[in-house]
Structure formats: C-alpha cells, structure tokens
Amino acid sequence: MSPHTEAVDAPVRVAVLGTGQMGRLIGRILLTKPGLELVGVMARRPDRVGRDAGEVLELDRALDVPISATVDDVIAREPDLVVQATCSRLTEAEAEIVPCLEAGIDVISIAEEMAWPWASSPEWAGRIDALAARNGATLLGTGVNPGFVLDLLVIALSGVCADVRSITASRVNDLSPYGPTVLASQGVGLSPEEFVTGVQAGTVVGHMGFPESIGMIATRLGWQIDRVEERREPIVTTVPRRTPFVAVAPGMVAGCRHTATGYREDRPVITLVHPQQIHPEAEGIATGDTIDIEGTPHVHLEGSPEIPGGIATAALAVNMIPSVVAAPPGLTSMAHLPVPAALAGDLTRRPKEEAHV
Amino acid sequence: MSPHTEAVDAPVRVAVLGTGQMGRLIGRILLTKPGLELVGVMARRPDRVGRDAGEVLELDRALDVPISATVDDVIAREPDLVVQATCSRLTEAEAEIVPCLEAGIDVISIAEEMAWPWASSPEWAGRIDALAARNGATLLGTGVNPGFVLDLLVIALSGVCADVRSITASRVNDLSPYGPTVLASQGVGLSPEEFVTGVQAGTVVGHMGFPESIGMIATRLGWQIDRVEERREPIVTTVPRRTPFVAVAPGMVAGCRHTATGYREDRPVITLVHPQQIHPEAEGIATGDTIDIEGTPHVHLEGSPEIPGGIATAALAVNMIPSVVAAPPGLTSMAHLPVPAALAGDLTRRPKEEAHV
C-alpha cells in the first residue's frame, strides 16, 4: 500500500447535522482543515434555519452556507460525508443516518450508541451494515468515550500482552463546565434518596456508553461476555460545591459514580469506572484517565487531567474523516479502522516520502 | 462489516524464522493461542537444525516440528504466515522475506527498519509492496519500539486533538536484563571518550527505529519532515553499576541517551527520547513511557515502569496475525491496520454479539 492511504484527490465535502455545542465545535474545527470543505449544516432549532453557517458557528465571516432545516436539504448540497451530532440513541439517530446512507453519503456519528451498535442492537447493526454496504457508504460512530479512552486505547494497550486476565479502566472528570441538562442527567443537586429514585425512574442516567465500550473491547479480544452489570451511585459531597447552574450543600449529590462490569463465566474481566461530578478538586480528587491491564505483562497508563471530552469528541469526528472516506462500505467502528490521527497538513497534498537516515 | 473482521474458518498455520530470544518467545506465545498452529521454525544456528521445536522452545513436550535450516524448508511446510525474528535491517531481512512473499505467504517482521520501511528506503518499500501485492501476500513490521510506544500510541493520542503543534515522547528503560551484544551496542562499560569514538565508528548504535517512528507519525499526521537529527550521548554513571555481563565504575558509561528530532521548516515538531542504561534506579531514575502532545487539547499520558520491550514485541508479533491475515495484500504498517488487540479466546470461534443493555 502507499504510506498515504488517506490521501484524496479533491477536498472532501462535509456537512454537519446539529448546531448544539458539539455540532458547532465540529464545524469550526472542519473549517481549519485544508482538504475538507464545509458544504452544509442542519439545525434542529427552527430559529437557526436559513441563517448563514458563519453566524451560527460564531465566526467573524459569512460562509455562504445557509443552515438547512432537514436532512434532505443537506443531502441536496451534495456532501461526500455527513457528521451527525444531534443525539445519543440509535433510535433517534436512525432517521438522520438512513437517508444519508441511502444517498451513498458516508456518515460519522457521535451518538454514544453508534460507537458499537452491536451492543444495544445487534439486529439493527446488521441491517444498517447491509444498507450502507448496498449504497456504497460507510458509517462510523466515534467520540472520546465511548470510542476512545475507555475502549480503543484499552484495546491498543492490550496488544502488547501475551495474555490478559482482566482489564480495569477509569475516567474521572469534572462536570463543572456543563449545563443544566447534563447536570440533571447525573443527579447533581439531588438528595441521595432522590438520586436513587431518579436512577430507578431513568431520569438519572449516568454515563452512556459502557455496553458499547465493553462490547468493543470484548469483541476485539475474542472474549464472550455473558452479562454486563452497571451501578450508579451518588457521589455525596462533604463540602459545598457550586456552578453557575447548581449549588450543592454537604450531604447532597455532587455527581454520579457509574461503573460497569463485564462478566465472562461469572468472572469479572472488564471493569470500567466513570465518576462524574462537579468540582472534584473540592474534596481533593484529581481528574484523569487510567488504564490497567492485568496480564503478561501488566500494563498501566495514566494521564491527569483527563483528556477533555468536548473538544476530543469533536476532534475525533473530524480526524476520522479521511479513514472513513477510504474505508470499504458498511458499518464500521473505531476498532475496525486504523488508529485515529490528528489531521494536520493538507489531505489533498500528503508529504513526500524520503529517507532521512 | 461484521464486528469480527478477524475471524478465520480454520487455524492459521504459522512459522517462525529465528530461534534467538525473540523467536523462541514468539513461538511459545503462539502455542498458547487457540486458532493458531505452529507448523515450522527456522534456526540460523546450525546446531539447532533438525532438533524438535519443542526442545528448542524449551517446552516439556515434543511438537513434531523439526527445526528447518532454510526459508525454503519452512515454506515447504506450507505456513499461511511467517514471523521473521532474525535481524534489524531491511538489507538483511530481505533475503528471508522475499521468498515467503513470492510463495504468497504473509510475513510479520520484527526487524526495526520494517516498522516503517519508507523511512530508510522508500524505493525498496515501493518494490516490496508491489511484489507482495502481486503475490497476494501481506507484509507488516511491528514491535514495541518502533511499532508501538513511540509511534502508534502517539498517533492514536493525537486523534483527540483539533490541532497539534509539537510532540514529545520518551521511553526510559533498563538494559540490565540484556546480554553482551545489546550492552555493547549501547556503549555500556566504555569510557566517555570511547563512547564518542564508538558512535563515530558505528559500533555504538543506540536505539534503532527513530527514523521509522518519526516517519510513521509524520505521515499519518500529514506533516512534511525536512530532516531528522539524531544525538547519541553517553550516560555517565556517578555510582558503580553492575550486571552479570558488565561492571561500570563511576565516570564510565552506563548507557546511551539517544534522541531524535524531526524538523518541519526548521521547527522541531517531533522529539523522541530514549535513554537506555543498566540499573537506572542506582541513580534514582524511574523507567517509564511518557507522551506529551502540545496542541488543542494538550495530551499527556505516562506509565511507569515502561512497557517491557521483549515480551511486548513478541506479543505484538503474535497479536497482529489476525489483522495481517485479513488485510489486503501489499506492504502495510501498524499505522495502516486496526489497533492491535490481545488475541484471547479462539480465533476460529469468535464470541456471539448480543445486547447486554
């Protein structure tokens, strides 16, 4: 193969579905990349439709790209690839993804369940794979988590092991920058009793993506996982913590300690830990990502603070574009494709190979 | 695609070229993997030829695989894939690799220059790619370094970045377990003056693989590297250090601090640091792997002690087998293929996909 499997002859025409925090960030990153062209943006919010994308992306210039109201309007702008950034669930993403695939357009989705659709819905995954393949389109789910820290990076590190007995990975982050919707989904501000009720009612969700991460890891390692157990526990603060959106008194809930364990013949083999709270530093808790593989050899890697979620997810969605364009048609995943890489330089003019030795 | 792109219908028939420390380790790991079958072993050392592989691999059982003297004898045993573990240089590896490729047999090489052959010899890389493709065979170079810690892992982490300004990665390891050949190649035991002379004469080699790692990173990021500068400096000990093979007095050389820097338009953008010495702990130096990416966001990851080199290289060579078998023909690389994963379970019977949500 050429060393430059990702090179393209002409700029890749990209459209973004969604103008929330993630959609706009993805749009702004796209515009910095020679070799990518932003040709369409769809907003779910009616007040944004028809405005110029430059304004909605908060740029100081017009892009001459009017915000579209529907997926069909975006498809009419003839993108090569669409980045879908509107939701978390397959059932909701499907209506936006299917028309793109049917039009032969590649799709990168940051919906959490799309990171490994075989986890929540293997039948759907099989159907969408066939649909994409039939239309010559490729479909990828990505994001920082699921999609990278607690799965792809774990898989990559396991590659140096002659055997693996168990895997533990944790991601401790800070919810302070987030808005009221995210805070509510983690139970921030509730009493411990309200938290428990919220978990039962499904209003306190915790992290979305554990079954996806465990499915991705287990599949690449070849482990049959018999069941996944998830636990959501309140992180009860002993000191006051406050953000612009919530004030949490001692004894109340500052976040959700969400863990998931994958069992293989009743033995826990994959344990993922993701406590999310506001101001962890208020109780001396450092944020960070940690991966431990018990095997031959043992592998331990850590980084503190954690890889920041928002920018990393947006960057991954953009950086995966060349690999998705080059990939064979069908449903794919981060675990199927070459490792992600920062898209620097110009995708249409890859560097020359020459010996420097 | 299926979630199990790597599944195979029948066990993969594998042969190993080389019965040094690495070849034997690779052979022993292979034998633990359901779905892989060891069908041949070639030794360069005449006294091993004709003996049973079980004896040479130091097992307590016979394998009914006689050690072969030549590559042709190994090819006659009809392997699907050959792991080549005899040397570091392309020029030396070529004679063993070419006949395998011509016979349509996939090859995984742990020769350092094979990790990214476009670095030392872009023309050779092009020729071998064409040869492999013509014969329906795939050729991969892998190893812990080059091949993983200071390149593939760096590339993967850059994937979360919206932009990257520069990269620094270091690997501090301990040479104490190694034999006299490795110690001499790092100048261990020399005086500082002898070290300098040895570097000039090419007897003190330092690390092999920097141009390969820099080439792999730069190519995936799309950076044009204008030149690579390497420096080999003596690590002069202030305390006595000793292994079974060498005793180093204060003022003498305990190892080689080898660094390489890739420049882009006169700006250093990739700096790789690999000090190798015996008993670093004697002067309070912790071993470990560290990656820092200056970009948006900054990314920092570290692990201490370092991922151990010998077992990791052998494990990677085995773990990459399914991806190489599944890959399209031609010269490939760790940066082209899906991330490595520990080969657990049975490759011929991959786990069922089912929802656990």
Side-chain angles (χ1 to χ4, degrees), chain B residues 236-250:
Chain B
V236 178
T237 188
T238 62
V239 298
R241 306 194 201 179
R242 167 186 297 276
T243 81
F245 298 105
V246 67
V248 182

Side-chain angles (χ1 to χ4, degrees), chain A residues 1-2 6 33 119 129 155 158-159 161-162 219-221 224 302 319 328 331 336 338-340 342 344 352-353 355-356, chain B residues 1-2 6 33 119 129 155 158-159 161-162 219-221 224-225 302 319 328 331 336 338-340 342 344 352-353 355-356:
Chain A
M1 299 142 215
S2 152
E6 305 169 332
K33 303 293 184 189
D129 175 42
I155 295 168
S158 81
C161 295
T219 302
R220 277 302 307 275
L221 266 66
Q224 176 73 48
E302 62 181 67
N319 289 334
L331 171 64
H336 289 70
V339 286
K352 293 195 298 285
E353 284 302 320
H356 295 287
Chain B
M1 297 145 217
S2 151
E6 304 171 332
K33 304 293 184 190
D129 175 42
I155 296 168
S158 82
C161 295
T219 302
R220 277 301 308 274
L221 267 66
Q224 177 73 48
I225 296 295
E302 62 180 65
N319 290 334
L331 171 63
H336 289 72
V339 285
K352 293 195 299 282
E353 284 302 321
H356 295 288

